[in-house]
Amino acid sequence: MENALAATAVAKPGGGTPGTMRRSLKSYEGIYRRTRLLGHKHGVWLIDDYAHNPVKCAVSIQACQGIAPRVVAWFQPHGYGPTRFLRADFGTGNSRRTAPRR
């Protein structure tokens, strides 16, 4: 939503019309690897998300809570350096503080 608002804020001064902006946003399919629904079987949804820091992981989990009463998530770091840098945030549960429990 924030990206859509930013895109329209930039498009308007550049001559973008409301109709053009609406059509463009309607046909936008998202960013590959951001959040992808991979499948659904026996009541279980498999969603792949590219969240890579504690806050983004928490927000991703929170978004999934709207479609499932229980969310099981795992984190696969994509680099030793960033994970080491953020280890305190991951290790102390700071990511959980941002996502309310249900």
Side-chain angles (χ1 to χ4, degrees):
M1 180 58 83
E2 291 172 353
N3 288 341
L5 289 172
T8 57
V10 171
K12 189 172 182 176
T17 65
T20 301
M21 289 184 271
R22 185 175 46 254
R23 285 189 301 277
S24 297
L25 289 170
K26 187 176 180 179
S27 65
Y28 178 68
E29 295 182 14
I31 299 171
Y32 176 75
R33 284 280 303 155
R34 180 60 251 174
T35 302
R36 295 185 299 159
L37 175 61
L38 299 179
H40 178 248
K41 190 170 186 176
H42 304 295
V44 176
W45 292 89
L46 181 59
I47 300 170
D48 180 26
D49 192 280
Y50 194 68
H52 58 278
N53 68 43
V55 172
K56 290 178 183 178
C57 289
V59 170
S60 179
I61 291 168
Q62 184 178 15
C64 292
Q65 288 173 332
I67 63 168
R70 180 175 175 221
V71 176
V72 177
W74 67 90
F75 173 72
Q76 178 181 350
H78 53 148
Y80 174 76
T83 304
R84 184 173 148 214
F85 176 73
L86 295 168
R87 75 175 173 253
D89 292 334
F90 280 117
T92 61
N94 285 339
S95 60
R96 283 184 237 140
R97 284 187 222 144
T98 347
R101 293 182 118 177
R102 291 190 176 219

